[in-house]
């Protein structure tokens, strides 16, 4: 039986969203309201288990009376406010942000990126072949996961998951300045020499595939990775008595990666090294 979390009821906030009066619980963001109303607002840095960092700026909307566009992921809904999500100004801003991201980083494994680029008619190629790109080789220094920073958009989600918001390991942080900013271990040491405990919670929140299971990385390189052919089965981790939920991603009768439900009251999407990576014994058929 799933535990039901009881909370005090929240007051409703009423405001205008694209010409319609909507009501959302007090404390909800504009993005929460948009999703409740069935409006598809693009976002990359927002995560349902993390505090928004306002890093990607793809979810900006126009708030009447505000000088600048507001990030829908963090702007709280306020009584009487008027919000427009599909104005020319908001669409143009999203278009430019997508162009800048796609021209400097590899978004090939970013879910829905190609769809949004097409929807907003973004043209990353307009910056020309000389546009600055990351051009970093994947960092493969362990057998569990790969860091491919050529796909990193500096959304800070991995830093937050590793830091004070969840794991409190602080193995990674942002190093460098400007275009040279990177997610890095202390002194850019190999992951094996860092404070990393290999919980993989950074992989769980990465929106672009910059962090991925070694198994997924290898299968993509071999051209055998096929999410449409994968099944997902949620079970309970057997390593200890905490009761963490595991979602096993299986392709051709092999576990290819493990995630955890974000709405689970025990894990909230987080796992330890045993839960996330300790599955090989299940399919050891020797």
């Amino acid at each position: 039986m799933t535990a039901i979390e009881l909370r005090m009821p929240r007051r409703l906030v009423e405001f205008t969203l694209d010409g319609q009066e909507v009501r959302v619980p007090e404390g909800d963001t504009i993005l929460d309201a948009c999703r409740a109303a069935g409006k598809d607002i693009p976002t990359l840095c927002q995560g349902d288990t993390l505090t928004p960092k306002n890093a990607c700026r793809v979810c900006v909307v126009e708030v009447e009376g505000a000088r600048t566009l507001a990030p829908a992921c963090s702007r709280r809904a306020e009584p009487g406010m008027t919000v427009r999500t599909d104005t020319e100004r908001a669409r143009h801003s999203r278009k430019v942000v997508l162009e800048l991201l796609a021209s400097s980083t590899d978004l090939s494994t970013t879910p829905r990126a190609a769809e949004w680029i097409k929807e907003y008619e973004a043209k990353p190629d307009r910056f020309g072949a000389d546009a600055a790109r990351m051009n970093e080789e994947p960092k493969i220094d362990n057998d569990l996961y790969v860091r491919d920073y050529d796909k990193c958009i500096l959304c800070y989600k991995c830093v937050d998951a590793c830091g004070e918001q969840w794991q409190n390991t602080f193995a990674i942080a942002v190093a460098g300045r400007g275009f040279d900013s990177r997610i890095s271990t202390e002194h850019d040491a190999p992951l094996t020499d860092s404070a990393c405990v290999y919980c993989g919670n950074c992989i769980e929140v990465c929106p672009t595939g910059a962090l991925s299971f070694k198994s997924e990385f290898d299968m993509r390189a071999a051209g055998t990775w096929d999410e449409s052919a994968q099944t997902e089965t949620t079970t309970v981790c057997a390593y200890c008595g905490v009761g963490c939920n595991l979602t096993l991603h299986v392709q051709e009768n092999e576990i290819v990666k493990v995630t955890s439900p974000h709405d689970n009251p025990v894990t909230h999407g987080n796992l330890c090294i045993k839960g996330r990576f300790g599955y090989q014994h299940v399919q050891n058929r020797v």
Side-chain angles (χ1 to χ4, degrees), residues 99-144:
E99 287 177 339
L100 292 172
L101 288 175
S103 66
S104 60
T105 58
D106 176 9
L107 300 183
S108 61
T109 55
T110 303
R112 302 193 64 189
E115 173 189 340
W116 290 332
I117 288 173
K118 181 179 179 180
E119 177 183 350
Y120 291 98
E121 299 180 345
K123 297 179 174 58
D125 295 337
R126 73 184 178 90
F127 296 108
D130 295 330
R133 295 190 63 87
M134 297 299 181
N135 291 327
E136 289 193 18
E137 292 297 320
K139 295 180 181 291
I140 309 174
D141 52 16
N142 66 91
D143 295 329
L144 301 182

Side-chain angles (χ1 to χ4, degrees), residues 1-4 265:
M1 180 180 295
T2 302
I4 299 176

Side-chain angles (χ1 to χ4, degrees), residues 148-183:
D148 188 355
Y149 289 144
D150 201 39
K151 299 178 179 178
C152 178
I153 61 170
L154 288 178
C155 67
Y156 303 99
K157 291 171 75 174
C158 60
V159 176
D160 289 340
C162 183
E164 62 183 11
Q165 291 198 35
W166 285 117
Q167 191 63 26
N168 283 288
T169 297
F170 301 97
I172 54 177
V174 179
R177 295 183 178 182
F179 193 79
D180 292 326
S181 297
R182 298 289 188 276
I183 304 297

